[in-house]
Amino acid sequence: MKISDIPEKEYLLPGNAACHGCASSMCLRTVLKAIGKRTVLVVPASCTSVYQGMFPGSAIDVPVFNTVFAASASTASGIKASLEKKGVDATVVVWAGDGGTYDIGLQALSAAAERNEDILYVCYNNEMYSNTGVQRSGATPYGAWTTTTWSGKKEHRKDVAEMMIAHDIPYVATASAGYLTDLYKKIRKAKNVKGFRYVEILAPCPPGWKYPMDRTVEMGRMAVETGMWILYEYENGEFRLTGLSKAIAEGKRELKDVEEYLLAQGRFAHLSQKDIGAIREYVERRWSNLAKLAGGVHAASAEFYV
Amino acid sequence: MERKLITGNQAAALAARDSGVEVVAAYPITPSTPVVEEIARMVESGEMDARLILVESEHSAMAACIGASASGSRVFTATSSHGLAYMHELLHYAANARTPVVMAVANRAIGPGWNIWADLGDTMSQRDTGWIQFYCSSNQEIYDTVVMAYRVAEDRQVLLPAMVCYDGFVLSHTAMPVVTGIGEFLEEYRAPWKVDFDEPETFGNILSSDYYMELRKDVFESHRKAIRIIKKTEEAFESLTGRYSPLLLEKYMLDDAETAIVAIGAIASESKIAVRKLRRDGKKVGLLRIKCFRPFPSTDVVEALESVDTAVVIDRSISPGHEGQLFSEIKSALYSSRNRPEIIGKVAGLGGRDVTFRAIEKAVCGEFRDGWINEVVV
Amino acid sequence: MVEGVRWEIRFHGRGGQGAVTASLLLAEAAFRCGYYSQSIPFFGAERRGAPVLAFTRISEEEILERSQIYSPDCVIVLDPVLPGTVNIFSGLKNGGIAVINTTDAPEKFRFHQNVLTICTVDAVDIAIRNHLVVSGTPVVNIPLLGAFLRIFSRIPPEITEDVIRERFRRNWKANVRAMWEGYENAVIRKVKGSGKTMSQESKCSIAVRVPVSKPVKGVAGRTSIWRDFVPEIDYSRCTGCLNCWLHCPESAVLRDGREVRIDYDFCKGCLVCSSVCPKTAISVAREVMG
């Protein structure tokens, strides 16, 4: 796919209130282009509820429904049911952060997935509560500084995309702000799947991660290059690695060491070699877990990481 | 029109069906569970043409209701007690969002210790959320009030969500004769905001201090306007169905009364017996029943109580640190009245403690001086 | 202490420049000098880069006000671009002080007061030289505070130095240096204004029923004022690969087929476009006022 294939039409209008170099606004632009005009966007409390701008204006040029923090999946369920009842054809999309997905909104998300609601749930994961000024979330990686983990988070993150696989919904995918054409393709695919779909995007955040604002795309790529973020799809019960993660698993590309990625971010500046070692071990463990899911051609991917 | 012996919960479910509800999202909790069960049965059998979303919590139930209502459907849900408390955040949201959701609430106490029985404390503690609140005294009223609640809530001058409250078990599980059928009383719901892809709009983004106060003021003014709409709805319902179901308040033998009992919910029905008994004993007693607690019909309350010497207000709930909520509101309404009666507050029936007409009689005759009707007088 | 001292200071900045911190540091320094003081952050809903306000009150007597400052004795303007977009002089007392982060001379500013003391300093330059840049935004608050202390002699700079040292434990040396550079490089002049009277704007209210908004370009204003750095496309090297267009978080790279151009009304200057350009065809310059 070429970049020029992506539609010119903008649904996220210029002059919004996102921070400089925001990965969330960058990815939302791509997601809306992929789905198009007949989108209903459901947004819980998050950075997006702020950067869409203030009444009486809005930066988003599709119907948007703002809802409370814990209830995006259930609000979307209500909207979808209502539109179906009225015979209105629309893709109902939740656009939520990791706080609203991993933590406070998890119950509603899990239930909507279990009911197999016809919703596309997109989580832009910036690995913390950015909107309230950088606090830890269930998606914050081990060792990361936040304003509620001053000396670094003591636990590894959980993985909601894998939880969604356990829900056996029709489509699960991971993407990264470093690979927008890949994101575009996955959203296009998700759009045409019936039932509950979950796409999670790694969305680096310059002020929260503490890196210069022009390096957002680079951070999104380094995360994949170092194995900290793994690109995959789960479709109709089948799991497969995609993009660079697939190339890495197949030995076509070499995995970079996580240290390079970690030290590019101020939030990891305090890490000791022991901490970095713990993160290396975590990355290794995740690869081997996913390799088990992948089976077949990717079975060897557990061993390549040494 | 059909007449049958049904419970309060069944009455609520049938009213939702007959109101042409399109989306229901609900979660079970005693004692309102049978409402959801009955709706599920009717939806599965095709008796009710609605989408039923069986969510995982009351929080999600109300969120789904708000989403469905905002995108154009007539919606319904039911809950009680802890479930209502769990919805709290979204109760505020529904009012500010101007989504005319109608919800049946089978009133129940809140723990600990676990208590599943009647107590109006669950809805009373939601009185400031911006919802309209009706309190029923019979199963017929539950049916009629759900139907009328849609007409009030969806009126363009009102556009507010409404709770139809009824004492748990006392009404929710008690079978009584109910006439069903509403004819052409309700029109199709037309939402003030809809999903439009050609002229898209954003619902509920940030409202700065330049605007938020105006939004709240409009919610406030709409409550005031609702009083008139409620009176009109009550009249329209009666002329169409032939059934008189008080929607704002009810006066019973109050014209020449020297003492008024002021009550709400099931206790108000029981109070009518006490009035009759006391009248037989030569005491000039009447009843003022508050049906609509929000908006509070202050002007009508003043008019009804100005000529009595004493008003005995009975609450089935309590605001710790102060007094019964109904007692507070009645006093507040009468503050500016020149002929203010003596107003006495009594608390009764918390956590389902039975309230008999004999107990009410004794309360009116000056017993229970500490304000607590804590004896089941048989 | 001098009798009847009462000062009200309004800070104008953009998110990330440190206006709120500057207001707090000043209040803390005044507090240590024996004054009653108050620091009020005004949090809008916007992100980093959007215009923000903060207020400091310094008084000999207990301060009872809880409202914002409308007629300040002094305004401190952290942003070099803001003077062209918002009225930083609004409500400022005649004969008052304006401390402005700019490369311009004091005489260049126009205002409605009869006379003001204008104090200018190139705080961006000081911040960059002292490596006080966070996520790409120069943090200019401390040099401006230094410039303010040149005029406001009631607080000795040494006290402020202590406050800075305690606040910035890791990075205090660079901040203290920046404060002194601001102090020393401040250019102070009395400047005459137009002397016209200006009516204070009062806000009118409109009825709000259903809280629904319409899509609009520039919902957060002309966001070009958030810019510290400007990207420029060298078309001789542009191959039309569209990477800048695809990755712009602002929809501020406009595209017509394979041709791109930057929408300078809304470009916030994040420079993602420059970083993703495979031909390094997008150069970067420092934003200047005008």
Side-chain angles (χ1 to χ4, degrees):
Chain A
M1 211 197 96
K2 298 190 296 287
I3 297 176
S4 56
D5 296 338
I6 297 175
E8 287 181 27
K9 168 85 181 158
E10 302 291 354
Y11 297 97
L12 180 66
L13 304 177
N16 63 60
C19 299
H20 303 86
C22 175
S24 170
S25 63
M26 184 190 290
C27 295
L28 179 58
R29 242 189 99 208
T30 302
V31 166
L32 291 175
K33 281 170 186 286
I35 305 167
K37 185 178 168 182
R38 299 189 76 83
T39 305
V40 180
L41 203 65
V42 178
V43 180
S46 63
C47 285
T48 310
S49 30
V50 176
Y51 73 65
Q52 66 186 266
M54 290 199 271
F55 177 91
S58 166
I60 305 177
D61 202 8
V62 296
V64 182
F65 193 90
N66 284 281
T67 188
V68 299
F69 211 176
S72 35
S74 35
T75 304
S77 303
I79 291 173
K80 185 65 192 180
S82 174
L83 294 179
E84 266 177 12
K85 192 80 182 54
K86 301 264 169 209
V88 178
D89 170 44
T91 308
V92 177
V93 182
V94 172
W95 179 257
D98 51 298
T101 303
Y102 276 64
D103 300 338
I104 196 168
L106 186 65
Q107 174 177 306
L109 165 64
S110 169
E114 181 269 330
R115 293 192 305 271
N116 199 25
E117 298 279 357
D118 192 17
I119 293 167
L120 168 55
Y121 190 111
V122 187
C123 167
Y124 64 96
N125 176 1
N126 49 34
E127 301 188 327
M128 67 204 169
Y129 290 81
S130 298
N131 192 32
T132 44
V134 191
Q135 291 81 34
R136 81 150 349 238
S137 80
T140 304
Y142 174 87
W145 163 92
T146 69
T147 61
T148 50
T149 54
W150 293 95
S151 54
K153 195 187 171 206
K154 302 282 183 286
E155 307 81 23
H156 289 291
R157 71 179 197 92
K158 62 176 167 181
D159 194 314
V160 168
E162 284 184 58
M163 281 177 69
M164 286 296 107
I165 292 175
H167 283 64
D168 200 22
I169 54 176
Y171 186 77
V172 180
T174 58
S176 160
Y179 303 95
L180 293 185
T181 45
D182 177 65
L183 170 65
Y184 181 84
K185 276 191 286 186
K186 284 170 174 165
I187 297 289
R188 290 289 295 178
K189 188 184 267 187
K191 183 194 172 189
N192 296 317
V193 173
K194 174 108 180 125
F196 199 82
R197 297 141 277 165
Y198 180 83
V199 178
E200 184 168 330
I201 310 165
L202 182 73
C205 168
W209 293 18
K210 298 187 180 297
Y211 65 82
M213 58 200 176
D214 62 330
R215 295 184 72 187
T216 291
V217 176
E218 197 185 334
M219 289 301 141
R221 287 185 187 160
M222 278 169 87
V224 178
E225 287 162 355
T226 58
M228 277 291 277
W229 189 254
I230 304 172
L231 300 173
Y232 59 80
E233 274 182 317
Y234 175 85
E235 199 179 356
N236 300 321
E238 217 174 281
F239 177 91
R240 60 178 168 273
L241 294 167
T242 60
L244 186 68
S245 298
K246 180 166 175 263
I248 290 168
E250 289 170 348
K252 291 176 186 159
R253 283 282 293 270
E254 206 174 314
L255 198 68
K256 288 185 183 163
D257 187 70
V258 287
E259 190 167 347
E260 186 189 342
Y261 171 70
L262 298 173
L263 296 185
Q265 302 169 37
R267 62 174 175 158
F268 291 118
H270 59 280
L271 290 193
S272 66
Q273 276 306 317
K274 202 178 148 210
D275 289 329
I276 293 172
I279 294 172
R280 271 196 201 102
E281 271 170 41
Y282 167 79
V283 171
E284 204 171 326
R285 210 162 54 238
R286 279 209 64 223
W287 273 96
S288 93
N289 284 347
L290 290 178
K292 274 179 220 154
L293 271 172
V297 286
H298 302 321
S301 60
E303 282 91 62
F304 79 94
Y305 194 99
V306 268
Chain B
M1 305 278 167
E2 206 184 336
R3 194 160 184 268
K4 46 193 157 194
L5 191 75
I6 54 173
T7 64
N9 282 333
Q10 281 172 311
L14 292 182
R17 178 198 65 186
D18 297 347
S19 300
V21 164
E22 295 161 291
V23 178
V24 179
Y27 187 76
I29 180 169
T30 305
S32 67
T33 305
V35 181
V36 190
E37 291 173 331
E38 181 66 9
I39 286 174
R41 188 194 62 73
M42 291 192 293
V43 169
E44 279 182 32
S45 68
E47 230 175 286
M48 181 172 177
D49 181 21
R51 273 289 310 269
L52 172 61
I53 312 172
L54 295 168
V55 286
E56 86 298 341
S57 74
E58 289 87 353
H59 191 273
S60 280
M62 189 45 66
C65 283
I66 293 168
S69 176
S71 48
S73 293
R74 181 171 287 158
V75 304
F76 179 78
T77 188
T79 193
S80 293
S81 180
H82 291 260
L84 186 70
Y86 196 26
M87 277 181 190
H88 178 72
E89 169 188 32
L90 288 144
L91 297 181
H92 283 279
Y93 211 84
N96 273 20
R98 312 309 292 263
T99 46
V101 177
V102 172
M103 170 163 62
V105 184
N107 290 104
R108 164 188 157 183
I110 295 181
W114 289 117
N115 178 298
I116 56 168
W117 298 282
D119 189 308
L120 307 190
D122 54 357
T123 47
M124 284 292 168
S125 63
Q126 307 296 348
R127 70 176 172 176
D128 299 335
T129 53
W131 282 60
I132 294 169
Q133 288 192 337
F134 299 115
Y135 289 82
C136 302
S137 293
S138 73
N139 293 1
Q140 181 69 58
E141 238 191 19
I142 294 172
Y143 179 88
D144 293 344
T145 307
V146 167
V147 174
M148 285 190 281
Y150 280 109
R151 180 115 156 207
V152 174
E154 291 169 5
D155 190 290
R156 282 299 169 107
Q157 293 189 60
V158 180
L159 275 180
L160 290 166
M163 286 178 205
V164 178
C165 313
Y166 48 93
D167 304 53
F169 291 102
V170 177
L171 295 177
S172 71
H173 284 63
T174 304
M176 300 176 198
V178 173
V179 179
T180 62
I182 62 164
E184 303 293 306
F185 182 70
L186 289 176
E187 287 172 9
E188 200 188 328
Y189 172 52
R190 291 204 327 279
W193 184 80
K194 66 180 173 48
V195 171
D196 186 333
F197 300 104
D198 294 316
E199 284 179 49
E201 288 179 313
T202 291
F203 191 106
N205 58 335
I206 293 174
L207 215 54
S208 69
S209 52
D210 295 341
Y211 301 106
Y212 185 83
M213 198 155 163
E214 271 62 43
L215 178 99
R216 293 299 284 166
K217 195 176 168 204
D218 198 74
V219 169
F220 176 82
E221 292 296 338
S222 299
H223 263 279
R224 284 159 74 111
K225 287 179 198 153
I227 300 257
R228 197 174 54 84
I229 307 296
I230 288 167
K231 286 179 179 168
K232 272 175 62 185
T233 302
E234 182 187 283
E235 283 164 24
F237 189 78
E238 190 184 7
S239 71
L240 198 100
T241 65
R243 296 198 293 277
Y244 171 66
S245 252
L247 204 52
L248 196 64
L249 42 73
E250 181 187 8
K251 288 179 257 186
Y252 182 74
M253 299 193 181
L254 205 56
D255 286 346
D256 63 336
E258 286 160 7
T259 301
I261 301 171
V262 183
I264 189 163
I267 290 176
S269 179
E270 192 87 12
S271 297
K272 286 184 183 172
I273 311 167
V275 168
R276 284 190 212 152
K277 295 258 297 172
L278 291 161
R279 284 263 170 185
R280 243 177 276 149
D281 297 344
K283 296 199 171 81
K284 286 191 170 169
V285 179
L287 168 75
L288 174 65
R289 172 161 82 91
I290 303 299
K291 169 73 179 282
C292 180
F293 190 70
R294 279 291 180 274
F296 195 76
S298 297
T299 311
D300 299 78
V301 165
V302 170
E303 211 179 276
L305 294 181
E306 252 177 347
S307 53
V308 303
D309 303 325
T310 311
V312 181
V313 184
I314 307 174
D315 271 283
R316 193 174 211 149
S317 60
I318 182 98
S319 173
H322 198 34
E323 59 199 6
Q325 290 94 335
L326 182 60
F327 184 40
S328 292
E329 303 290 13
I330 295 291
K331 284 195 294 185
S332 158
L334 286 162
Y335 181 77
S336 54
S337 164
R338 238 174 276 160
N339 305 312
R340 203 162 55 208
E342 186 190 0
I343 309 166
I344 299 160
K346 304 280 183 191
V347 174
L350 302 190
R353 183 167 299 183
D354 211 16
V355 183
T356 63
F357 64 86
R358 289 195 182 85
I360 297 166
E361 232 183 291
K362 283 178 88 172
V364 174
C365 294
E367 294 197 34
F368 309 113
R369 300 198 75 89
D370 66 350
W372 289 80
I373 306 179
N374 48 10
E375 193 186 324
V376 182
V377 185
V378 291
Chain C
M1 259 190 328
V2 187
E3 250 198 340
V5 169
R6 185 177 174 81
W7 269 65
E8 294 192 321
I9 298 131
R10 184 174 69 210
F11 292 81
H12 287 269
R14 290 188 292 109
Q17 291 175 333
V20 168
T21 305
S23 157
L24 186 62
L25 293 177
L26 180 58
E28 175 72 30
F31 172 67
R32 291 193 190 188
C33 294
Y35 293 98
Y36 283 93
S37 67
Q38 194 183 51
S39 165
I40 309 176
F42 180 71
F43 291 111
E46 284 93 348
R47 314 283 74 191
R48 297 173 70 79
V52 295
L53 290 175
F55 309 94
T56 301
R57 284 193 176 94
I58 299 170
S59 171
E60 277 205 310
E61 285 160 13
E62 190 186 351
I63 300 166
L64 297 175
E65 284 94 336
R66 300 294 176 261
S67 52
Q68 298 176 12
I69 292 170
Y70 297 95
S71 306
D73 302 280
C74 173
V75 293
I76 298 180
V77 185
L78 284 79
D79 191 87
V81 185
L82 273 180
T85 56
V86 299
N87 185 8
I88 55 166
F89 300 110
S90 169
L92 180 61
K93 282 179 189 146
N94 200 18
I97 296 167
V99 181
I100 305 171
N101 171 18
T102 179
T103 50
D104 286 327
E107 291 77 11
K108 218 187 149 189
F109 292 92
R110 300 279 169 268
F111 43 85
H112 67 273
Q113 287 84 348
N114 288 326
V115 66
L116 293 176
T117 299
I118 306 276
C119 167
T120 63
V121 66
D122 185 1
V124 173
D125 182 58
I126 297 172
I128 291 173
R129 278 193 291 101
N130 287 288
H131 308 291
L132 297 171
V133 180
V134 174
S135 304
T137 305
V139 187
V140 294
N141 54 355
I142 303 299
L144 281 164
L145 207 52
F148 172 74
L149 293 175
R150 265 284 287 283
I151 298 177
F152 193 74
S153 54
R154 291 173 205 282
I155 300 173
E158 290 74 17
I159 300 273
T160 314
E161 207 183 299
D162 288 344
V163 174
I164 290 172
R165 195 175 295 130
E166 285 163 36
R167 164 86 192 196
F168 302 98
R169 290 211 184 116
R170 282 210 193 103
N171 206 16
W172 67 267
K173 278 184 185 159
N175 276 292
V176 166
R177 216 164 36 234
M179 183 196 87
W180 282 109
E181 284 182 29
Y183 187 89
E184 279 149 17
N185 293 323
V187 177
I188 301 165
R189 301 247 201 291
K190 272 209 170 7
V191 180
K192 276 189 179 170
S194 67
K196 285 179 195 155
T197 46
M198 257 194 50
S199 57
Q200 284 269 25
E201 340 146 11
S202 73
K203 283 173 180 168
C204 62
S205 55
I206 62 155
V208 181
R209 180 122 243 232
V210 183
V212 165
S213 301
K214 300 247 185 250
V216 62
K217 238 186 187 187
V219 67
R222 203 161 54 85
T223 44
S224 57
I225 66 159
W226 298 25
R227 205 159 58 210
D228 295 302
F229 302 97
V230 201
E232 270 171 64
I233 302 174
D234 175 358
Y235 287 98
S236 68
R237 290 157 81 178
C238 174
T239 59
C241 74
L242 299 175
N243 265 293
C244 55
W245 169 78
L246 177 67
H247 292 94
C248 176
E250 302 301 329
S251 313
V253 176
L254 306 174
R255 170 188 161 193
D256 187 0
R258 285 193 165 276
E259 273 174 39
V260 288
R261 71 191 162 83
I262 293 167
D263 182 347
Y264 286 109
D265 284 342
F266 297 110
C267 164
K268 291 175 190 156
C270 71
L271 309 179
V272 164
C273 53
S274 172
S275 77
V276 297
C277 179
K279 300 290 174 195
T280 57
I282 303 179
S283 63
V284 174
R286 195 180 136 183
E287 180 69 69
V288 283
M289 182 188 154

